[in-house]
Amino acid sequence: MIGLNFVYERDELLYSLDLPIELQDPFSVDYLDFDHQSFEDLIDYMDFLEFDRYIFVAVEESSRLQRLVNYLSDKVEYPITTLEMNALGKLLSDEQVINVQKVLENHSGYQTLGTLKTEEVFENGYRAFRSAMYPHLTKGLLKHVQVDEVNTFLSENKDLIPRFAINSAIYSDTDCNDPSNPFIVRSIANFSKMETFARLTELELRDALEEFLKSGRLMLTNHILDYGILTGISRFNSLVFKQDTFYLDSAMNIPIGDSGESFQKLFNEASMKLGRQVIDANNEIWRLVPLLIAMNRTYNDLEFVTPYNQYHLAAIEDRIVSLNWIAFKNSDHYFAFNLPNSRIFKINQVVFEKLEYIIKNRLDERDLVMQKVVEVLETYA
């Protein structure tokens, strides 16, 4: 069996395309998730399926794809190669090639990737790194590492590389001399114009949270450095490497091991340190706060209504609640925000007041205005 994986590459970011194509033996069209699968996951997967040959078809660029293939070729027993899209006729019949091209032209994922703004992807990744917030990654899947000397890091920590996601990045202002390096390497200077990250102590963060819970006001307007670590909700998805020492946090206050140590040792030490960082609060509140900070930055001086904070009504006592809507206001406008679809709606004061009852599950079936608000919200959910 020959595996065919159609890969879109732009600025070294790799995306496998899940194409609905049936090909005759010996070909099998395959798909991978480069954002959430590690190098180790990919190697184990390929070993398990026992292909006779595996071919990554480069739909566009192929520079990093070739480096990935070079890395995998040393780890997998059967041949792994790349093939340019315009050479697909060497494998498939003319009819099959035309079919593949038609599927690509109508593939929504491929069309979306054509408009991909990679700088936004990299900036969002850097925000995740600086805040230590990776809500969609499994524990221990490494996504980013900042290093003072990239060549030292790579040469002394080869056993750590398989634990990184395939779409992962090294942040360093030194040049990489290893042409087989499978990572994306980005200069820290690339992110110098991004917003600053506030350095807070646990006490300062706790005080800000208590004020929010009492009043609905969040006196934070900057993203918080190492937020996930301060709150204990980080799941060990990033590292800092400086002077042969690994740190859990960007501030480099929490060392977890030395260069060359095993992933398991670093993982165990990180888990122990994270367990000590927890500030007593509902994890759902902690996950919500970064979103509220972003809104504060955009709309300025906001008052929020969520299930967890007191406003006109007391906060709910249930620590686990289905959270679909939040409301907020500034001196000029009232807003409703739907979390599942990330849409913001401008509303009036009456809807804002009724929305607090809805958010806190205090519906009054006799209140016709409230029932009307519920109906309208359901159409936008």
Side-chain angles (χ1 to χ4, degrees), residues 38-39 141-142 144-145 153 160-166 168 183:
S38 68
F39 292 102
L141 176 63
L142 297 174
H144 301 110
V145 58
F153 167 75
L160 200 60
I161 292 176
R163 301 293 187 152
F164 279 85
I166 296 164
S168 55
F183 288 102

Side-chain angles (χ1 to χ4, degrees), residues 1 34 45 63 68 86 131 203 221 223 236 245 257 273 299 379:
M1 180 171 62
F34 293 141
Y45 170 80
S63 61
L68 173 64
N86 58 17
S131 62
L203 179 59
T221 55
H223 295 292
F236 187 46
T245 300
K273 294 288 179 65
Y299 294 97
T379 64

Side-chain angles (χ1 to χ4, degrees), residues 219-252:
M219 310 307 291
L220 299 170
T221 55
N222 286 324
H223 295 292
I224 300 168
L225 188 70
D226 298 321
Y227 176 84
I229 294 167
L230 289 170
T231 58
I233 60 176
S234 174
R235 292 183 286 188
F236 187 46
N237 300 119
S238 59
L239 285 166
V240 174
F241 178 77
K242 186 172 183 179
Q243 295 180 349
D244 294 330
T245 300
F246 283 107
Y247 296 89
L248 182 61
D249 58 327
S250 289
M252 292 182 286

Side-chain angles (χ1 to χ4, degrees), residues 176-364:
C176 178
N177 298 327
D178 183 0
S180 64
N181 159 44
F183 288 102
I184 299 170
V185 179
R186 301 285 288 183
S187 170
I188 300 170
N190 290 344
F191 307 102
S192 60
K193 295 182 180 180
M194 287 181 60
E195 68 272 16
T196 57
F197 286 75
R199 290 176 179 252
L200 298 184
T201 64
E202 287 186 35
L203 179 59
E204 290 170 330
L205 185 55
R206 185 185 293 112
D207 288 345
L209 178 67
E210 288 179 356
E211 175 62 29
F212 164 71
L213 295 178
K214 288 189 297 185
S215 68
R217 284 189 170 274
L218 187 63
M219 310 307 291
L220 299 170
T221 55
N222 286 324
H223 295 292
I224 300 168
L225 188 70
D226 298 321
Y227 176 84
I229 294 167
L230 289 170
T231 58
I233 60 176
S234 174
R235 292 183 286 188
F236 187 46
N237 300 119
S238 59
L239 285 166
V240 174
F241 178 77
K242 186 172 183 179
Q243 295 180 349
D244 294 330
T245 300
F246 283 107
Y247 296 89
L248 182 61
D249 58 327
S250 289
M252 292 182 286
N253 292 324
I254 309 175
I256 59 171
D258 297 323
S259 183
E261 291 187 333
S262 69
F263 169 82
Q264 195 60 52
K265 187 171 182 180
L266 296 175
F267 178 87
N268 292 343
E269 187 68 18
S271 298
M272 183 175 65
K273 294 288 179 65
L274 284 170
R276 297 173 182 169
Q277 296 295 122
V278 179
I279 301 174
D280 184 28
N282 185 342
N283 275 356
E284 294 307 313
I285 299 176
W286 286 130
R287 291 188 174 91
L288 186 61
V289 167
L291 173 64
L292 304 185
I293 291 174
M295 290 177 173
N296 237 355
R297 288 177 58 85
T298 302
Y299 294 97
N300 301 317
D301 195 24
L302 296 179
E303 297 177 16
F304 293 97
V305 174
T306 75
Y308 312 114
N309 67 281
Q310 181 173 324
Y311 197 66
H312 293 308
L313 301 176
I316 62 169
E317 296 182 3
D318 189 357
R319 293 171 69 90
I320 300 176
V321 63
S322 177
L323 182 57
N324 294 314
W325 291 92
I326 61 174
F328 58 95
K329 65 181 282 287
N330 57 21
S331 58
D332 299 316
H333 301 290
Y334 300 86
F335 301 91
F337 179 76
N338 183 267
L339 279 85
N341 61 30
S342 299
R343 296 177 67 189
I344 292 178
F345 304 93
K346 191 177 289 187
I347 57 178
N348 60 36
Q349 182 177 352
V350 173
V351 174
F352 180 83
E353 292 171 354
K354 299 299 181 184
L355 192 52
E356 182 175 11
Y357 285 86
I358 296 168
I359 289 171
K360 295 178 178 177
N361 199 24
R362 297 187 184 180
L363 298 176
D364 184 349

